[in-house]
Amino acid sequence: MIIYTTKLLRDRYKLNMPEECINNTDIIKAVIEKERGDRMLEWGAKLFYFDRRKCIQLSHFASKFTLFLCDIKVKELSNIGDYICGYLYDIFSDDENTCKLLERYFMSTPIVCFDKLTDKSAISTLNRTQSDFAFDGYRFYDYIENGILKTRQINKEVNTNWLVTQKIDGKTIYFYPKERFREMLWERYGDNE
């Protein structure tokens, strides 16, 4: 899995890009070479702040499935694959068959690598979701109960009730990210189910 990051995120989290890595360079380059261009295995990531805490918005290139990770410390960034996995299983917890496909999805891309975000469509999706859904983080105040931010609820809401658009063959289609991600999982990994 490749997570393409904005410059601000790279700077704040002191991320090394593949060409700057000293350890595991061959593995990282091999993963990036194999997975680059496969939008099912690519995510965009952008840093924003909520209540003076670092938060990361992730957007799946192919389906625009979006996750918000809040109050992520620098040392926790290495667990980002686990966070993605956890939220995806949580969001699809009501669908046992899709959860089986998620297992196949994660088995197909077990290593998480970071690279520079240059995809204009992904940048636009990240910017629009941050401004129009999250209201630059201010909407998250609605999800605080007893001093706890309900990120599971935020992530379910943005993927089940937030309508997004995408141009395919010159035609604009409208969809909910959860439904689209599920369809794509079934198209790609559902052949043996």
Side-chain angles (χ1 to χ4, degrees), residues 162-175:
W162 178 250
L163 196 62
V164 296
T165 63
Q166 189 173 39
K167 280 204 178 205
I168 298 177
D169 298 327
K171 216 175 168 185
T172 301
I173 62 165
Y174 297 83
F175 57 91

Side-chain angles (χ1 to χ4, degrees), residues 57 59-60 64 66 120-130 164-165:
Q57 179 196 166
S59 180
H60 184 250
K64 298 191 179 189
T66 299
K120 289 182 174 143
S121 174
I123 293 168
S124 175
T125 298
L126 288 162
N127 289 339
R128 184 176 172 110
T129 304
Q130 181 181 331
V164 296
T165 63

Side-chain angles (χ1 to χ4, degrees), residues 1-14:
M1 181 182 306
I2 306 172
I3 299 176
Y4 296 96
T5 61
T6 60
K7 182 175 180 352
L8 180 62
L9 191 147
R10 288 191 306 273
D11 291 347
R12 293 291 189 273
Y13 283 90
K14 299 171 181 66

Side-chain angles (χ1 to χ4, degrees), residues 66-82:
T66 299
L67 294 173
F68 291 100
L69 309 178
C70 297
D71 199 19
I72 301 297
K73 310 286 188 271
V74 172
K75 64 183 177 187
E76 296 171 331
L77 193 64
S78 62
N79 299 325
I80 199 163
D82 294 334

